Amino acid sequence: MAMTQRVFSGVQPTGNLHLGNYLGAIVKFVELQNIHDCIYCVVDLHAITVWQDPAELTRNIREVTAAFLACGIDPRKHIVFNQSQVAEHAELAWVFNCVARLGWLNRMTQFKEKAGKDRENASVGLYAYPSLMAADILVYRATHVPVGEDQKQHLELTRDIAQKFNNDFGDSIRAHGFGEAFFPLPEPLITGPATRVMSLRDGSKKMSKSDASDYSRINLTDDADTIAQKFRKAKTDPEPLPGEEKGLETRPEADNLVGIYAALEGTTKATVLGQFGGSQFSVFKAALVDLSVAKLGPIGAEMKRLTADPAYVDAVLADGSARARVLAGQTMDAVKDIVGLVRS
Ligand code: AQP
């Protein structure tokens, strides 16, 4: 079977989609549509690895879908769906649970961070999350995965699982006519000036949906006044902006704001510093607010319009899920044959 180039990525419906999700992931999803077949997933099964209020979860699934559409993903040319409507994700994840090694999962820093000190009390699902993520990608035999920097380790694990599956079942893969390898080793796409957007309150912490302070992030649904207020209050230092990138090395908050500006403008940090080097933060922040409001305002408005029409959003998910199921079903049939599971 030839490995066609295919993009897959997902976003969790855990509320408060923010500038980090947008610049680290969704902007790239939109760009990649022009050159690849893309599959974009609302990963609701990942969301429930931590308890979610059911009514809020339903709302959040529709909100992430609305964000995909509002940002410019075309659900007719590509596939937009929610994970729980395609049972093959969970099915392949089980096979991968039997391929992945405990030692590999024990090294995952995201589990350590999310489980914190109360590890014994974390869900089994949270621990096995990377196995499900590998299944999300590989059930479509995707070759490219646009993600933020925080997902790099999970992508490496996905490659390890694919490689081990290909090795463990090598003879069977060849015997069934799939060539030397069944799964591709997917490439992470982690590019641009904002692969890790940091909290506006603390330049050492990533911007996150679950941060208790709403002032730590810019939400895609924030209005112009809120965006202005949050950037005005964003932590900085007393020095003016440097003229060159090297000058940002020991200034995480300045580095973060310059990276956000560059990513929103579609340029580099060096170009932004060429324009604002020597300026006080008051001047730079005012420009950053204007740029953010210009870029995010229309997205927030479109998200509001779409979430007011849940029937339309659900229809997009139903259509995408039906198309995803066909592709995932083909992979799962092949996996069952390769592993030796009888199917009728
Ligand atoms: N701060 C960030 N900077 C750049 N990219 C980011 N991503 C997340 N935060 C940043 C990228 O957004 C995509 C979707 O992320 P997710 O919702 O699936 O999961 P997450 O990484 O757990 O997101 P959060 O906001 O940090 O949620 P919580 O607070 O629940 O942990 C991914 O590609 C991710 O890299």
Side-chain angles (χ1 to χ4, degrees), residues 9-12 14 18 20-21 24-25 43 110 114 129 146-151 194-198 206-211:
S9 197
V11 174
Q12 293 189 73
T14 38
H18 52 71
N21 301 128
V43 286
Q110 193 181 84
K114 290 206 168 171
Y129 179 117
V147 280
E149 164 78 32
D150 59 321
Q151 291 298 329
T195 56
R196 189 174 180 82
V197 177
M198 308 309 275
K206 84 165 184 149
M207 188 177 282
S208 158
K209 300 187 195 103
S210 54
D211 195 311

Side-chain angles (χ1 to χ4, degrees), residues 15-38:
N16 295 324
L17 273 187
H18 52 71
L19 204 49
N21 301 128
Y22 177 64
L23 296 176
I26 303 175
V27 162
K28 320 244 174 91
F29 297 1
V30 175
E31 284 167 12
L32 286 161
Q33 301 185 99
N34 300 325
I35 44 169
H36 288 290
D37 286 337
C38 302

